Amino acid sequence: MKDGLTYRDAGVDLEAARTTKARLSELVRRTRTDAVSSDFGSFGGRFRATPGRELVASADGVGTKLKIAFMADRHDTVGADLVNHCVNDILVEGARPLVFLDYVACGVLDPDTVTSVVAGLAEACRENGCALLGGETAEMPDFYAEGEYDLAGFIVGEVAWPELTRRELSAGDRLIGLASSGVHTNGYSFVRALFFGRLGLGVHNPFPGSEASVSEVLLRPHRSYLPILAPSLDAGRIRALAHITGGGIPGNLDRVIGGDLDAVVRTDAWRRPHEFEVIARESLADEAELFRIFNMGVGMIAIVGAGDVGPVLDQARASGCDAFVCGELVEGTGRVRLEGV
């Protein structure tokens, strides 16, 4: 006589799900703000928004950077990647983050792995003043490869700097580049093909020309520019922002300059970080191609009036982020022109 089929037999461990939920409760609690009015475990999260204020929402993922986390068995950085990327996206629209929700999907739920991912999420939410309002952990046997998972995030913010959405730009405005913390979260299909395919490296091998390992360099978290830029935004010194993600500088700066201006970017205005020098040298890729794939050391570009350059640079540097003038706006047709490529 056959035993009765259980959910665990089918690949879903409900006890592991309960254990994971209990671990996550405290991580979520630490991100709670005064505007949160629901408890952990509710069917939906409740948040008291400010009447009459405009909300901005966005969603994103970490992409194939997750593959490197799987290979290195390190999961504490990709959650921060996700939060900071989303925070930067709504920052460009003039919004401060209010709430964040995550979605983690896996084949077999490993409480330690999920807890590590959410710990990174929660810490980044706390650092950005954002409540981790809720989320979903989905266990789907046979859907994901063993040891792998997918990760997505959803953010809602409130417009705090409406002048950024007006795009009142003019020829002569300056471009200020804010240094990235590395590759961030774009271009990892290229990165994996280069380092693990062409060069045959492993995640624990030294990164070429560095004492750090390949995984330490490539899993460095995506930088949040909110604490770096908030003082200058509060002072009204920034006219527009461009988050440099997929598409690089040409594919993101053109989204904010309008149709009657060109952005001239001088690519010799900053020292390219070591990892991008290695990528360029070892891949033999065309420079223009690299600038379409990667941030090349510039994670955010702020557009400011000529008279505000000094204070914005000083504030960014005081916040621990390298910053530099990397170009200007000129009359044109909405193009981004890279000088030096």
Side-chain angles (χ1 to χ4, degrees):
M1 185 173 172
K2 294 181 179 180
D3 293 333
L5 185 67
T6 68
Y7 214 1
R8 179 175 288 188
D9 294 333
V12 178
D13 189 340
L14 294 176
E15 185 57 39
R18 281 191 290 270
T19 299
T20 303
K21 185 175 180 180
R23 292 185 183 182
L24 302 188
S25 175
E26 176 60 19
L27 294 173
V28 173
R29 188 196 64 77
R30 293 175 189 170
T31 73
R32 188 181 181 94
T33 66
D34 291 340
V36 176
S37 56
S38 57
D39 295 323
F40 178 80
S42 302
F43 285 95
R46 298 192 305 276
F47 189 91
R48 292 186 294 275
T50 306
R53 297 294 292 273
E54 188 174 16
L55 300 180
V56 178
S58 186
D60 219 312
V62 181
T64 62
K65 189 172 185 175
L66 287 175
K67 287 281 190 180
I68 301 176
F70 305 153
M71 294 166 67
D73 194 24
R74 181 179 178 184
H75 310 282
D76 61 334
T77 63
V78 291
D81 279 314
L82 185 63
V83 172
N84 291 342
H85 187 131
C86 289
V87 167
N88 291 337
D89 277 350
I90 66 169
L91 179 64
V92 168
E93 299 299 325
R96 281 186 178 273
L98 296 175
V99 298
F100 192 89
L101 296 96
D102 68 278
Y103 174 77
V104 184
C106 56
V108 177
L109 192 150
D110 179 355
D112 290 339
T113 297
V114 174
T115 300
S116 184
V117 171
V118 177
L121 279 163
E123 180 63 16
C125 282
R126 190 189 61 78
E127 291 175 351
N128 285 288
C130 178
L132 181 54
L133 192 60
E136 170 71 4
T137 302
E139 188 175 10
M140 297 182 283
D142 305 322
F143 200 80
Y144 294 94
E146 183 178 355
E148 297 193 356
Y149 55 85
D150 201 5
L151 181 63
F154 312 87
I155 196 166
V156 177
E158 183 178 78
V159 171
W161 303 286
E163 60 273 12
L164 284 182
T165 62
R166 298 191 184 117
R167 308 278 191 248
E168 294 178 358
L169 308 177
S170 59
D173 286 348
R174 303 296 197 267
L175 308 179
I176 292 180
L178 300 164
S180 68
S181 56
V183 184
H184 281 183
T185 49
N186 297 99
Y188 276 85
S189 295
F190 187 104
V191 161
R192 291 185 301 109
L194 173 62
F195 289 102
F196 308 131
R198 178 176 293 191
L199 299 182
L201 296 175
V203 289
H204 302 301
N205 290 137
F207 190 87
S210 171
E211 295 183 359
S213 70
V214 170
S215 64
E216 286 172 333
V217 172
L218 298 182
L219 289 177
R220 203 176 294 138
H222 196 127
R223 171 174 261 159
S224 169
Y225 294 96
L226 174 61
I228 296 164
L229 291 170
S232 293
L233 288 163
D234 288 339
R237 294 191 176 109
I238 296 177
R239 298 184 177 181
L241 291 169
H243 186 198
I244 310 305
T245 56
I249 293 174
N252 289 282
L253 189 53
D254 67 345
R255 298 162 70 177
V256 301
I257 60 175
D260 57 353
L261 295 168
D262 283 357
V264 178
V265 179
R266 298 189 299 276
T267 61
D268 61 354
W270 68 94
R271 183 176 181 179
R272 193 178 300 176
H274 175 68
E275 53 265 43
F276 294 111
E277 293 288 358
V278 172
I279 289 170
R281 182 182 71 241
E282 298 295 342
S283 71
L284 303 177
D286 182 78
E287 283 283 292
E289 175 76 356
L290 293 175
F291 270 89
R292 284 193 295 267
I293 299 171
F294 299 106
N295 65 62
M296 300 304 284
V298 180
M300 183 77 78
I301 291 179
I303 303 177
V304 307
D308 287 320
V309 168
V312 173
L313 288 174
D314 290 344
Q315 180 59 57
R317 291 166 180 167
S319 299
C321 179
D322 188 22
F324 36 82
V325 177
C326 63
E328 60 278 323
L329 298 184
V330 299
E331 293 183 1
T333 58
R335 296 182 303 145
V336 176
R337 292 149 46 185
L338 300 181
E339 291 191 348
V341 173

